[in-house]
Amino acid sequence: MARVLRILTPHRLLRCYHGTLWNMANLQDDAQQIFRSAVSAVLPPRMLQRALSVRERGGSAVLECGGREIPLDNNLHLVGFGKAVLGMAAAAERIVGRHLVGGVISIPQGMQDSLQRAERSSAPYFLDWITNLLFLFLVLCSGGGSALLPAPLPPLTLQEKQTISQQLAQRGATIQELNTIRRALSSLKGGGLARAAYPAQVVTLILSDVIGDDLEVIASGPTVPSAHSAVDCLQILDKYNLSGSGSVDTAEVVISRGPPEGPNRFSHVHNILIGSNLIALQEAERESQRLGYLPLLLSNAISGDVTVVSRFFALLARVIASILGSDPHQAQLEQEILSLASTMAIPSFNLAKQLQEVKKASNIHAVCALFGGETTVQVRGEGKGGRNQELALRVAMEWQQSPEGMMECEVLFLSGGTDGQDGPTEAAGASCYPQLVAHAMGDGLDVQGSLNASDSNGFFSQFQKGRHLLVTGLTGTNVMDVQVLLVRRQAKDP
Ligand SMILES: Nc1ncnc2c1ncn2[C@@H]1O[C@H](COP(=O)(O)OP(=O)(O)OP(=O)(O)O)[C@@H](O)[C@H]1O
Ligand SMILES: O=C(O)[C@H](O)CO
């Protein structure tokens, strides 16, 4: 069997290939390294170091943030809520700690013991505290914050607010409509925290876990004015026939009354996005280039059903492979994927232009396509899994059914949750390659059966002793999911 030595790029180690058998572990190592670099860019210490600094001058100090300089005078208070806020608060404290007068953060119950160890207290009720202090507030906000800011506008009770949300959800309200009502019925969400703090200055550092990074949506935008009027909200309640019950009548009164402190005042607020899926992908782009790939940052807004998205990724690999390998199927495959992409409503997505870049690039033998977002999964079976593991397994199944175009290339697809947890499993995600299903069948595993049982984690845990699971542990951040697709032309036998 021929043995090929090939220098991929000067700083890469020599890689030995044994004939047509390629070392999949190399591609998997690269994909995992690229994924980890994406996560590293949005870890709290690195985010806060980018966003925040204190400049001491003579006896005074200035907070530098978002291009602004705000005097510090023993007046800094920290407020935070969200799944990533414990790490964000610790990172912020390392930067501004000596100027912090006090702080309150609200984080998921399971993190409480970490707080005690850090000797910090947390309490979810800010109003009776924040309105008494005319200070400078540093607000830390991340995904999961909505559930950690329970503060219904009186006289509405928390139970009544939850009942209205449940009724809206049961009657088919969209997540956008649900969140609009939740913001309107809250003392803190939808800009309530900023209104309560007025006229104290508010600097909010935001880690986005939503597609499009709409600041009003992230943790329900406690320091962001709501774009929806009372009329919009009342129309939603009316649309789903919620009028008429006691709690809804109270809700309508609260909504009609408007924000407790009168008109929206937000000139004292600076909202700054410090972490997002795009920031993570841009780091992954740099890392893939360092590893010798031509990077294609294709989208940070992938969404939709996992069955459609898996078909897209599998076809994209075949298109790129057909370009790199000068496969005769290339033109037809490109038409297919452009047609499929046009049905997926991916915002500002120009795949044709990006594929043109690959075709124009000279002497390219390896491409890294990068994506981010969140797919949706219909969980049909009793198995264990997550949307990233299911996506990877479905991509493998698509390749099993249509392998055209990939004969001359090595291909690997990886999908992972940047928070380190994919569904109720220990894995962050998984990776796959074109021959995976054939190899699994050779091991007596039933891939389709695993998918039918929604058991992607069960499959990847069994197959090759879990070697294709992506396990990072909880990362302390969350900018949704990241996908890495690597396509590399195989070395030609001499
Ligand atoms: N057996 C399964 N197979 C495939 N997907 C599953 C399975 N069980 C749950 N899921 C998916 O996992 C999703 C939950 O994922 P996860 O626990 O990572 O939370 P999340 O939606 O990412 O929220 P957060 O932003 O807080 O992480 C659900 O939306 C569901 O679609
Ligand atoms: O907390 C929330 O509202 C969601 O995680 C979106 O940020």
Side-chain angles (χ1 to χ4, degrees):
M1 184 175 289
R3 184 178 171 79
V4 175
L5 290 181
R6 179 160 61 126
I7 300 173
L8 279 176
T9 47
H11 68 285
R12 296 296 302 277
L13 295 176
L14 276 180
R15 291 248 169 109
C16 304
Y17 290 84
H18 300 279
T20 56
L21 285 182
W22 55 277
N23 180 344
M24 191 275 299
N26 277 328
L27 277 186
Q28 189 176 64
D29 292 347
D30 285 355
Q32 294 201 359
Q33 189 171 327
I34 291 165
F35 176 84
R36 291 175 194 276
S37 72
V39 172
S40 71
V42 288
L43 290 178
R46 216 167 132 191
M47 283 195 298
L48 272 294
Q49 278 157 19
R50 279 197 305 258
L52 211 52
S53 62
V54 172
R55 185 162 46 78
E56 319 269 354
R57 186 190 289 157
S60 65
V62 170
L63 182 70
E64 296 176 321
C65 184
R68 294 177 178 84
E69 295 189 347
I70 305 170
L72 290 170
D73 181 13
N74 199 30
N75 60 345
L76 184 62
H77 289 257
L78 184 143
V79 173
F81 27 81
K83 289 184 175 180
V85 155
L86 180 62
M88 291 170 75
E93 192 172 20
R94 280 194 286 277
I95 298 168
V96 300
R98 61 189 295 272
H99 299 279
L100 266 182
V101 178
V104 174
I105 63 173
S106 180
I107 61 172
Q109 189 62 37
M111 295 182 185
Q112 201 69 23
D113 55 347
S114 329
L115 266 176
Q116 256 91 47
R117 280 203 301 275
E119 289 152 19
R120 293 287 179 277
S121 66
S122 79
Y125 301 106
F126 301 99
L127 282 176
D128 57 350
W129 172 75
I130 198 168
T131 45
N132 304 333
L133 299 166
L134 294 181
F135 281 83
L136 167 59
F137 289 102
L138 178 60
V139 180
L140 305 177
C141 182
S142 82
S146 292
L148 296 164
L149 270 181
L153 273 167
L156 197 70
T157 66
L158 187 56
Q159 181 57 52
E160 286 175 325
K161 185 167 176 261
Q162 287 168 336
T163 303
I164 291 168
S165 299
Q166 283 153 11
Q167 286 174 347
L168 281 170
Q170 286 156 4
R171 297 183 188 193
T174 65
I175 185 67
Q176 291 77 12
E177 290 170 326
L178 263 173
N179 285 337
T180 298
I181 295 297
R182 284 175 178 148
R183 285 195 293 269
L185 297 179
S186 171
S187 308
L188 291 172
K189 298 181 175 81
L193 182 62
R195 279 192 293 268
Y198 183 83
Q201 282 208 72
V202 175
V203 173
T204 303
L205 305 181
I206 300 169
L207 171 62
S208 170
D209 69 327
V210 300
I211 287 179
D213 302 331
D214 182 345
L215 301 187
E216 183 184 342
V217 174
I218 302 164
S220 299
T223 61
V224 180
S226 179
H228 296 88
S229 67
V231 171
D232 297 337
C233 298
L234 294 172
Q235 283 172 348
I236 291 171
L237 295 178
D238 189 42
K239 175 180 175 184
Y240 295 98
N241 303 318
L242 255 61
S243 309
S245 72
S247 53
V248 177
D249 289 346
T250 309
E252 286 173 339
V253 166
V254 162
I255 290 170
S256 306
R257 188 178 63 197
E261 294 82 18
N264 283 334
R265 290 176 301 227
F266 289 82
S267 56
H268 61 301
V269 181
H270 313 295
N271 291 305
I272 302 162
L273 184 68
I274 64 168
S276 68
N277 188 274
L278 180 58
I279 291 172
L281 291 179
Q282 287 165 339
E283 181 64 33
E285 187 179 29
R286 291 186 285 268
E287 183 66 16
S288 64
Q289 204 151 24
R290 280 193 289 269
L291 290 171
Y293 295 87
L294 170 72
L296 298 178
L297 201 175
L298 289 173
S299 175
N300 63 331
I302 283 285
S303 65
D305 188 88
V306 69
T307 56
V308 175
V309 176
S310 60
R311 201 173 314 131
F312 170 79
F313 281 125
L315 186 50
L316 178 63
R318 293 166 55 205
V319 170
I320 296 172
S322 68
I323 295 171
L324 292 183
S326 330
D327 184 288
H329 297 90
Q330 191 258 319
Q332 177 218 328
L333 289 169
E334 189 169 339
Q335 281 314 308
E336 268 184 55
I337 196 161
L338 292 177
S339 158
L340 177 58
S342 65
T343 68
M344 294 170 70
I346 304 170
S348 60
F349 189 43
N350 191 338
L351 182 59
K353 182 170 175 292
Q354 297 267 13
L355 292 176
Q356 197 53 34
E357 297 296 313
V358 180
K359 286 186 260 185
K360 278 190 324 191
S362 57
N363 189 28
I364 286 296
H365 58 270
V367 171
C368 170
L370 295 165
F371 292 84
E374 272 191 5
T375 59
T376 49
V377 175
Q378 301 302 319
V379 181
R380 296 187 176 85
E382 299 303 312
K384 260 180 83 177
R387 55 178 181 256
N388 291 283
Q389 292 163 84
E390 174 141 343
L391 177 58
L393 196 51
R394 287 190 179 278
V395 168
M397 187 57 99
E398 289 288 334
W399 283 332
Q400 170 71 10
Q401 285 150 5
S402 316
E404 299 83 12
M406 298 200 287
M407 304 315 285
E408 297 177 54
C409 288
E410 304 149 358
V411 179
L412 185 114
F413 174 76
L414 175 145
S415 185
T418 54
D419 62 356
Q421 182 173 29
D422 186 35
T425 78
E426 298 299 311
S431 60
C432 66
Y433 58 100
Q435 298 82 5
L436 181 141
V437 173
H439 292 169
M441 290 164 69
D443 293 349
L445 296 174
D446 174 4
V447 174
Q448 190 55 56
S450 297
L451 286 171
N452 296 342
S454 301
D455 194 30
S456 52
N457 181 257
F459 170 81
F460 280 112
S461 300
Q462 284 185 77
F463 181 53
Q464 294 186 0
K465 298 182 182 154
R467 204 172 84 186
H468 305 278
L469 280 173
L470 172 66
V471 181
T472 61
L474 294 180
T475 62
T477 190
N478 183 8
V479 292
M480 303 180 285
D481 304 335
V482 163
Q483 287 84 32
V484 179
L485 173 64
L486 300 181
V487 183
R488 188 162 66 194
R489 188 172 54 234
Q490 286 181 13
K492 299 243 188 280
D493 289 346

